[in-house]
Amino acid sequence: MHFRVLHLVIPILVAFVPTFATSAMHDVGRPAFEKKVIVEINSARKAPWKYRKHVEHYQKLLRGDVLELPGRPSFLLNEGAGILGKAIENLAKRGDTRVLVRSGPLDAIARGQLHDLLDEPEIGHTGKDGAGLKTRFKRYSNPIGPIAENISYSDITARQVVISMLVDDGVPSRLHRENILNPDFRLVGTACGINSNGMPICVVEFAVELATSKPKLL
C-alpha cells in the first residue's frame, strides 16, 4: 500500500475578517450543506465545460477587481478580474470525469480538521497537535494512491465553496482545481462549520482508495 499527498495549500480570498449577516450562512454547518458541496463537486466533474456557466455568472458580479457575492462582504480578487476568465477558459477545455463516492472515513478526517480550524483557522492543513494530512488519514484508514485536502474560507453556499476552489485565486499551481477535477480520485469526504467569529469554513478530503473501509453512497 502506498499513498502520497498531492496538495496542502489554502486559498486566501479576503484581506480582512468578514462579518456575515445572512440567513443562508446558518445552513453551513448542517449535514445537508455538506452533501450539497459533494453534489456541486460531482456536477463540476461530470461536465466542467457546462459548470463554467456558474463562473461566468460571477463575472456579472464584478465591480472592477472586487467581487460582490450575495450574502457576504465584497472582496478583492488577488489576481484581479481576469482570473475568472482564465478559470472559465480552463473549464471549457476539460473533459468529463467520473463522480466521487462519499466516504465515511474521509468525512471523519475532514470533521477532525474542521474542529481544529474552528478554534484556529490559521493552522490550515496542520492539526492542532501538529499532525499533517498523511498522519491524520492513517488514524482512520490506509489510503492507496494519492490523497489531498482542500479548505474553503468565508463561502456561504455549496456552490461558492466549489467555485472558489475551481477559480483558485492566489494559488498559481491551481491545485485546488486539480484536486476537484483529478480523474484518479474516487472518494470524497467533507465537513463544514462556522467559527466563533462567524466565518464559514469547509474542509474537503480526496482519495483514490481506502484499504480498510467501504465508501457510502450519497
Side-chain angles (χ1 to χ4, degrees), residues 8 112-113 116-117 120 122-137 139 149:
L8 296 178
Q113 189 62 8
D116 287 358
L117 288 168
E120 300 179 33
E122 69 279 359
I123 64 175
H125 299 278
T126 303
K128 289 171 68 175
D129 61 356
L133 182 60
K134 177 179 176 180
T135 299
R136 292 190 281 112
F137 254 79
R139 291 172 180 168
E149 177 176 82

PDB file of all heavy atoms in Angstrom, residues 8 112-113 116-117 120 122-137 139 149:
ATOM      1  N   LEU A   8      -1.333  20.782  -0.327  1.00  0.00           N
ATOM      2  CA  LEU A   8      -1.636  21.281   1.009  1.00  0.00           C
ATOM      3  C   LEU A   8      -1.494  22.794   1.076  1.00  0.00           C
ATOM      4  O   LEU A   8      -0.646  23.327   1.769  1.00  0.00           O
ATOM      5  CB  LEU A   8      -0.683  20.645   2.037  1.00  0.00           C
ATOM      6  CG  LEU A   8      -0.787  19.133   2.208  1.00  0.00           C
ATOM      7  CD1 LEU A   8       0.248  18.652   3.208  1.00  0.00           C
ATOM      8  CD2 LEU A   8      -2.164  18.737   2.682  1.00  0.00           C
ATOM      9  N   GLY A 112     -12.471  16.106  11.774  1.00  0.00           N
ATOM     10  CA  GLY A 112     -11.425  16.327  12.765  1.00  0.00           C
ATOM     11  C   GLY A 112     -10.638  17.599  12.503  1.00  0.00           C
ATOM     12  O   GLY A 112     -10.352  18.367  13.429  1.00  0.00           O
ATOM     13  N   GLN A 113     -10.305  17.833  11.239  1.00  0.00           N
ATOM     14  CA  GLN A 113      -9.564  19.055  10.916  1.00  0.00           C
ATOM     15  C   GLN A 113     -10.436  20.288  11.060  1.00  0.00           C
ATOM     16  O   GLN A 113      -9.966  21.345  11.494  1.00  0.00           O
ATOM     17  CB  GLN A 113      -8.976  18.965   9.505  1.00  0.00           C
ATOM     18  CG  GLN A 113      -8.005  20.085   9.154  1.00  0.00           C
ATOM     19  CD  GLN A 113      -6.772  20.101  10.048  1.00  0.00           C
ATOM     20  OE1 GLN A 113      -6.560  19.194  10.842  1.00  0.00           O
ATOM     21  NE2 GLN A 113      -5.966  21.130   9.916  1.00  0.00           N
ATOM     22  N   ASP A 116     -10.446  21.553  14.578  1.00  0.00           N
ATOM     23  CA  ASP A 116      -9.262  22.348  14.909  1.00  0.00           C
ATOM     24  C   ASP A 116      -9.312  23.721  14.252  1.00  0.00           C
ATOM     25  O   ASP A 116      -8.936  24.738  14.858  1.00  0.00           O
ATOM     26  CB  ASP A 116      -7.996  21.623  14.473  1.00  0.00           C
ATOM     27  CG  ASP A 116      -7.675  20.421  15.366  1.00  0.00           C
ATOM     28  OD1 ASP A 116      -8.421  20.190  16.344  1.00  0.00           O
ATOM     29  OD2 ASP A 116      -6.696  19.706  15.073  1.00  0.00           O
ATOM     30  N   LEU A 117      -9.773  23.780  13.013  1.00  0.00           N
ATOM     31  CA  LEU A 117      -9.818  25.048  12.288  1.00  0.00           C
ATOM     32  C   LEU A 117     -10.822  26.024  12.884  1.00  0.00           C
ATOM     33  O   LEU A 117     -10.620  27.248  12.821  1.00  0.00           O
ATOM     34  CB  LEU A 117     -10.169  24.798  10.817  1.00  0.00           C
ATOM     35  CG  LEU A 117      -9.073  24.162   9.963  1.00  0.00           C
ATOM     36  CD1 LEU A 117      -9.647  23.696   8.635  1.00  0.00           C
ATOM     37  CD2 LEU A 117      -7.927  25.128   9.735  1.00  0.00           C
ATOM     38  N   GLU A 120      -8.696  27.517  15.503  1.00  0.00           N
ATOM     39  CA  GLU A 120      -7.505  28.187  14.994  1.00  0.00           C
ATOM     40  C   GLU A 120      -7.488  28.102  13.466  1.00  0.00           C
ATOM     41  O   GLU A 120      -6.810  27.244  12.891  1.00  0.00           O
ATOM     42  CB  GLU A 120      -6.243  27.536  15.569  1.00  0.00           C
ATOM     43  CG  GLU A 120      -6.147  27.577  17.081  1.00  0.00           C
ATOM     44  CD  GLU A 120      -4.890  26.908  17.602  1.00  0.00           C
ATOM     45  OE1 GLU A 120      -3.850  26.969  16.905  1.00  0.00           O
ATOM     46  OE2 GLU A 120      -4.941  26.317  18.694  1.00  0.00           O
ATOM     47  N   GLU A 122      -6.043  29.675  11.242  1.00  0.00           N
ATOM     48  CA  GLU A 122      -4.772  29.936  10.575  1.00  0.00           C
ATOM     49  C   GLU A 122      -3.894  28.694  10.446  1.00  0.00           C
ATOM     50  O   GLU A 122      -2.892  28.710   9.711  1.00  0.00           O
ATOM     51  CB  GLU A 122      -4.001  31.032  11.316  1.00  0.00           C
ATOM     52  CG  GLU A 122      -3.460  30.649  12.688  1.00  0.00           C
ATOM     53  CD  GLU A 122      -4.509  30.718  13.792  1.00  0.00           C
ATOM     54  OE1 GLU A 122      -5.663  31.082  13.503  1.00  0.00           O
ATOM     55  OE2 GLU A 122      -4.156  30.420  14.955  1.00  0.00           O
ATOM     56  N   ILE A 123      -4.229  27.581  11.118  1.00  0.00           N
ATOM     57  CA  ILE A 123      -3.351  26.409  11.072  1.00  0.00           C
ATOM     58  C   ILE A 123      -3.456  25.659   9.751  1.00  0.00           C
ATOM     59  O   ILE A 123      -2.602  24.845   9.417  1.00  0.00           O
ATOM     60  CB  ILE A 123      -3.623  25.441  12.244  1.00  0.00           C
ATOM     61  CG1 ILE A 123      -5.045  24.860  12.163  1.00  0.00           C
ATOM     62  CG2 ILE A 123      -3.372  26.122  13.570  1.00  0.00           C
ATOM     63  CD1 ILE A 123      -5.326  23.823  13.226  1.00  0.00           C
ATOM     64  N   GLY A 124      -4.504  25.915   8.987  1.00  0.00           N
ATOM     65  CA  GLY A 124      -4.607  25.322   7.661  1.00  0.00           C
ATOM     66  C   GLY A 124      -4.670  23.804   7.692  1.00  0.00           C
ATOM     67  O   GLY A 124      -5.549  23.211   8.298  1.00  0.00           O
ATOM     68  N   HIS A 125      -3.716  23.178   7.038  1.00  0.00           N
ATOM     69  CA  HIS A 125      -3.738  21.727   6.857  1.00  0.00           C
ATOM     70  C   HIS A 125      -2.999  20.968   7.957  1.00  0.00           C
ATOM     71  O   HIS A 125      -2.859  19.748   7.857  1.00  0.00           O
ATOM     72  CB  HIS A 125      -3.151  21.365   5.500  1.00  0.00           C
ATOM     73  CG  HIS A 125      -3.906  21.942   4.353  1.00  0.00           C
ATOM     74  ND1 HIS A 125      -5.050  21.370   3.829  1.00  0.00           N
ATOM     75  CD2 HIS A 125      -3.694  23.068   3.627  1.00  0.00           C
ATOM     76  CE1 HIS A 125      -5.504  22.104   2.833  1.00  0.00           C
ATOM     77  NE2 HIS A 125      -4.701  23.135   2.686  1.00  0.00           N
ATOM     78  N   THR A 126      -2.537  21.652   8.966  1.00  0.00           N
ATOM     79  CA  THR A 126      -1.869  21.007  10.093  1.00  0.00           C
ATOM     80  C   THR A 126      -2.808  20.994  11.287  1.00  0.00           C
ATOM     81  O   THR A 126      -3.402  22.007  11.622  1.00  0.00           O
ATOM     82  CB  THR A 126      -0.574  21.756  10.472  1.00  0.00           C
ATOM     83  OG1 THR A 126       0.287  21.812   9.327  1.00  0.00           O
ATOM     84  CG2 THR A 126       0.136  21.046  11.612  1.00  0.00           C
ATOM     85  N   GLY A 127      -2.952  19.842  11.928  1.00  0.00           N
ATOM     86  CA  GLY A 127      -3.809  19.753  13.099  1.00  0.00           C
ATOM     87  C   GLY A 127      -3.233  20.513  14.282  1.00  0.00           C
ATOM     88  O   GLY A 127      -2.049  20.870  14.290  1.00  0.00           O
ATOM     89  N   LYS A 128      -4.056  20.764  15.275  1.00  0.00           N
ATOM     90  CA  LYS A 128      -3.590  21.473  16.462  1.00  0.00           C
ATOM     91  C   LYS A 128      -2.475  20.705  17.170  1.00  0.00           C
ATOM     92  O   LYS A 128      -1.663  21.288  17.898  1.00  0.00           O
ATOM     93  CB  LYS A 128      -4.759  21.708  17.425  1.00  0.00           C
ATOM     94  CG  LYS A 128      -5.748  22.741  16.918  1.00  0.00           C
ATOM     95  CD  LYS A 128      -6.994  22.808  17.771  1.00  0.00           C
ATOM     96  CE  LYS A 128      -6.728  23.358  19.148  1.00  0.00           C
ATOM     97  NZ  LYS A 128      -7.976  23.528  19.916  1.00  0.00           N
ATOM     98  N   ASP A 129      -2.431  19.399  16.965  1.00  0.00           N
ATOM     99  CA  ASP A 129      -1.374  18.573  17.555  1.00  0.00           C
ATOM    100  C   ASP A 129      -0.153  18.461  16.657  1.00  0.00           C
ATOM    101  O   ASP A 129       0.781  17.708  16.949  1.00  0.00           O
ATOM    102  CB  ASP A 129      -1.907  17.175  17.868  1.00  0.00           C
ATOM    103  CG  ASP A 129      -2.397  16.431  16.623  1.00  0.00           C
ATOM    104  OD1 ASP A 129      -2.394  17.031  15.533  1.00  0.00           O
ATOM    105  OD2 ASP A 129      -2.786  15.255  16.760  1.00  0.00           O
ATOM    106  N   GLY A 130      -0.154  19.205  15.549  1.00  0.00           N
ATOM    107  CA  GLY A 130       0.977  19.191  14.630  1.00  0.00           C
ATOM    108  C   GLY A 130       0.903  18.128  13.548  1.00  0.00           C
ATOM    109  O   GLY A 130       1.809  18.030  12.713  1.00  0.00           O
ATOM    110  N   ALA A 131      -0.166  17.347  13.531  1.00  0.00           N
ATOM    111  CA  ALA A 131      -0.285  16.260  12.551  1.00  0.00           C
ATOM    112  C   ALA A 131      -0.604  16.793  11.163  1.00  0.00           C
ATOM    113  O   ALA A 131      -1.488  17.634  10.994  1.00  0.00           O
ATOM    114  CB  ALA A 131      -1.371  15.279  12.990  1.00  0.00           C
ATOM    115  N   GLY A 132       0.107  16.284  10.157  1.00  0.00           N
ATOM    116  CA  GLY A 132      -0.170  16.622   8.778  1.00  0.00           C
ATOM    117  C   GLY A 132      -1.239  15.713   8.199  1.00  0.00           C
ATOM    118  O   GLY A 132      -1.759  14.809   8.875  1.00  0.00           O
ATOM    119  N   LEU A 133      -1.557  15.923   6.940  1.00  0.00           N
ATOM    120  CA  LEU A 133      -2.638  15.163   6.314  1.00  0.00           C
ATOM    121  C   LEU A 133      -2.349  13.662   6.306  1.00  0.00           C
ATOM    122  O   LEU A 133      -3.240  12.850   6.582  1.00  0.00           O
ATOM    123  CB  LEU A 133      -2.861  15.659   4.882  1.00  0.00           C
ATOM    124  CG  LEU A 133      -3.994  14.986   4.108  1.00  0.00           C
ATOM    125  CD1 LEU A 133      -5.330  15.186   4.815  1.00  0.00           C
ATOM    126  CD2 LEU A 133      -4.063  15.514   2.680  1.00  0.00           C
ATOM    127  N   LYS A 134      -1.140  13.282   5.997  1.00  0.00           N
ATOM    128  CA  LYS A 134      -0.775  11.865   5.956  1.00  0.00           C
ATOM    129  C   LYS A 134      -1.051  11.188   7.295  1.00  0.00           C
ATOM    130  O   LYS A 134      -1.650  10.109   7.344  1.00  0.00           O
ATOM    131  CB  LYS A 134       0.698  11.730   5.589  1.00  0.00           C
ATOM    132  CG  LYS A 134       1.229  10.312   5.569  1.00  0.00           C
ATOM    133  CD  LYS A 134       2.692  10.318   5.170  1.00  0.00           C
ATOM    134  CE  LYS A 134       3.295   8.926   5.226  1.00  0.00           C
ATOM    135  NZ  LYS A 134       4.726   8.932   4.825  1.00  0.00           N
ATOM    136  N   THR A 135      -0.654  11.823   8.360  1.00  0.00           N
ATOM    137  CA  THR A 135      -0.867  11.264   9.703  1.00  0.00           C
ATOM    138  C   THR A 135      -2.344  11.215  10.043  1.00  0.00           C
ATOM    139  O   THR A 135      -2.839  10.220  10.592  1.00  0.00           O
ATOM    140  CB  THR A 135      -0.124  12.107  10.749  1.00  0.00           C
ATOM    141  OG1 THR A 135       1.285  12.075  10.463  1.00  0.00           O
ATOM    142  CG2 THR A 135      -0.365  11.574  12.156  1.00  0.00           C
ATOM    143  N   ARG A 136      -3.064  12.259   9.702  1.00  0.00           N
ATOM    144  CA  ARG A 136      -4.495  12.299  10.014  1.00  0.00           C
ATOM    145  C   ARG A 136      -5.268  11.239   9.240  1.00  0.00           C
ATOM    146  O   ARG A 136      -6.207  10.644   9.758  1.00  0.00           O
ATOM    147  CB  ARG A 136      -5.050  13.702   9.731  1.00  0.00           C
ATOM    148  CG  ARG A 136      -4.523  14.753  10.688  1.00  0.00           C
ATOM    149  CD  ARG A 136      -5.233  16.067  10.559  1.00  0.00           C
ATOM    150  NE  ARG A 136      -4.785  16.848   9.416  1.00  0.00           N
ATOM    151  CZ  ARG A 136      -5.502  17.117   8.343  1.00  0.00           C
ATOM    152  NH1 ARG A 136      -6.739  16.632   8.225  1.00  0.00           N
ATOM    153  NH2 ARG A 136      -5.019  17.850   7.362  1.00  0.00           N
ATOM    154  N   PHE A 137      -4.872  10.976   7.999  1.00  0.00           N
ATOM    155  CA  PHE A 137      -5.511   9.923   7.217  1.00  0.00           C
ATOM    156  C   PHE A 137      -5.325   8.556   7.875  1.00  0.00           C
ATOM    157  O   PHE A 137      -6.260   7.761   7.963  1.00  0.00           O
ATOM    158  CB  PHE A 137      -4.946   9.899   5.793  1.00  0.00           C
ATOM    159  CG  PHE A 137      -5.878  10.455   4.757  1.00  0.00           C
ATOM    160  CD1 PHE A 137      -6.027  11.824   4.597  1.00  0.00           C
ATOM    161  CD2 PHE A 137      -6.602   9.614   3.933  1.00  0.00           C
ATOM    162  CE1 PHE A 137      -6.875  12.347   3.633  1.00  0.00           C
ATOM    163  CE2 PHE A 137      -7.453  10.126   2.966  1.00  0.00           C
ATOM    164  CZ  PHE A 137      -7.595  11.494   2.817  1.00  0.00           C
ATOM    165  N   ARG A 139      -5.050   7.674  10.793  1.00  0.00           N
ATOM    166  CA  ARG A 139      -5.834   7.434  12.006  1.00  0.00           C
ATOM    167  C   ARG A 139      -7.162   6.760  11.691  1.00  0.00           C
ATOM    168  O   ARG A 139      -7.772   6.147  12.568  1.00  0.00           O
ATOM    169  CB  ARG A 139      -6.087   8.764  12.725  1.00  0.00           C
ATOM    170  CG  ARG A 139      -4.847   9.387  13.345  1.00  0.00           C
ATOM    171  CD  ARG A 139      -5.133  10.786  13.852  1.00  0.00           C
ATOM    172  NE  ARG A 139      -3.940  11.380  14.458  1.00  0.00           N
ATOM    173  CZ  ARG A 139      -3.822  12.661  14.778  1.00  0.00           C
ATOM    174  NH1 ARG A 139      -4.834  13.498  14.530  1.00  0.00           N
ATOM    175  NH2 ARG A 139      -2.715  13.118  15.321  1.00  0.00           N
ATOM    176  N   GLU A 149      -6.316  17.458   0.194  1.00  0.00           N
ATOM    177  CA  GLU A 149      -7.259  18.191   1.045  1.00  0.00           C
ATOM    178  C   GLU A 149      -7.402  19.620   0.540  1.00  0.00           C
ATOM    179  O   GLU A 149      -6.412  20.293   0.261  1.00  0.00           O
ATOM    180  CB  GLU A 149      -6.754  18.204   2.482  1.00  0.00           C
ATOM    181  CG  GLU A 149      -7.596  18.986   3.464  1.00  0.00           C
ATOM    182  CD  GLU A 149      -7.058  18.863   4.884  1.00  0.00           C
ATOM    183  OE1 GLU A 149      -6.098  19.609   5.205  1.00  0.00           O
ATOM    184  OE2 GLU A 149      -7.563  18.006   5.645  1.00  0.00           O
TER     185      GLU A 149
END
